[in-house]
Amino acid sequence: MLAQAADTAISADPWRFQWHPEVWVLVGFLTAAFVYMIKVIGPNAVPPGQQAVSRKNTYAFVGAMALLWVASDWPLHDISEEYLYSAHMLQHMMLSYFLPPLALLATPEWLLRVLIGDGGTYRAVRFLSKPVIAGVLFNLVAMVTHVPLVVNASLDNGPLHYSLHFIVVLFSLLMWMPVVGPFKEFHMGPLGKCIYLFLLSVVPTLPAAWLTFAEGAVYKPYDIPVRVFGWSVTVDQQLAGAIMKIGGGVFLWTLVIYIFFKRFANGYGDKQDYRRPVEPDDEPLTTADVDREFASSAPPHDVG
């Protein structure tokens, strides 16, 4: 009874502030490690005169750390773990669709080569980053982490919860490697990237539909009296399904359109220029030139 009363009291205020020092430690450690690698290791790892990190790398790193902090700290973390499964789905979307590509764009090629070398680790990463393998593993992890038994267990087990988040991010990084990874030898061609990302947007349709049309609470820990924003369990699950399908789909389709037009439409106007090429000594034609030509031409003969 006392435990139940305590749980009820804790759940009474979904917006109570909770500080998560482990998140700040993680973000601080990653930031310090990045700065150290850039400042200390970088100058010896790149050719003389070449910058160890670009402005794009820096912006991407800042964006990745901001997403990691927002997804893992108050209030999103607490709402997603105790009240709304739709917030939980948004958190997983950030950790699998938005954070990993930014983290890869933030990583210079030399830095990843220093971290994994060119031996067994490199070969393992290359094998796991093959599009078919990476895509299958990513979707398998995404499905397993949304099984009710796994979700319910992770909400009551801190180490399991953070381990699942780590696995999600890890396999998401492998999934994004053929698209935006630092190693160009891992990349597919532009058309291959478009097909790859499109197929990744199709797979979540089944679990999203299952969530949307499920009757009753799929995840029992979220079936609580306190309803954030007044959303019922059914509305919460339907919104989670919409985030899973539409949110991820729109993001991936946007990338497909960007890659397609960048590759196949860039420079199209230059190649389709039908204007007569202008010679270097050509002078612009004026009205006086036209009048002079008419005056010097012979009048037509009268055939009557």
Side-chain angles (χ1 to χ4, degrees), residues 285-295:
L285 188 65
T286 64
T287 305
D289 296 330
V290 175
D291 293 339
R292 187 167 51 253
E293 290 296 326
F294 273 115

Side-chain angles (χ1 to χ4, degrees), residues 217-239:
V218 175
Y219 305 101
K220 297 302 181 183
Y222 292 100
D223 189 10
I224 58 177
V226 179
R227 305 309 310 171
V228 178
F229 305 127
W231 294 344
S232 66
V233 173
T234 302
V235 171
D236 180 31
Q237 290 177 173
Q238 290 174 343
L239 182 58

Side-chain angles (χ1 to χ4, degrees), residues 76-96:
L76 180 59
H77 176 273
D78 302 278
I79 297 295
S80 68
E81 301 309 312
E82 299 179 21
Y83 301 95
L84 294 177
Y85 189 68
S86 55
H88 181 89
M89 185 66 71
L90 177 61
Q91 183 187 50
H92 272 242
M93 290 289 298
M94 295 172 68
L95 294 176
S96 58

Side-chain angles (χ1 to χ4, degrees), residues 188-196 259-260 263-264:
M188 297 177 289
L191 184 58
K193 291 180 181 180
C194 292
I195 297 174
Y196 178 68
I259 294 172
F260 179 84
R263 171 60 181 86
F264 297 103

Side-chain angles (χ1 to χ4, degrees), residues 15-56:
W15 298 106
R16 71 192 183 284
F17 175 76
Q18 294 191 67
W19 185 49
H20 299 281
E22 67 278 5
V23 177
W24 292 83
V25 170
L26 176 60
V27 173
F29 170 77
L30 292 175
T31 302
F34 184 78
V35 172
Y36 175 82
M37 294 296 291
I38 297 302
K39 297 295 185 180
V40 178
I41 308 298
N44 298 319
V46 298
Q50 180 178 331
Q51 289 186 338
V53 62
S54 67
R55 184 173 298 180
K56 183 181 74 172

Side-chain angles (χ1 to χ4, degrees), residues 192-208:
K193 291 180 181 180
C194 292
I195 297 174
Y196 178 68
L197 294 175
F198 174 77
L199 292 176
L200 288 174
S201 72
V202 173
V203 176
T205 300
L206 290 178

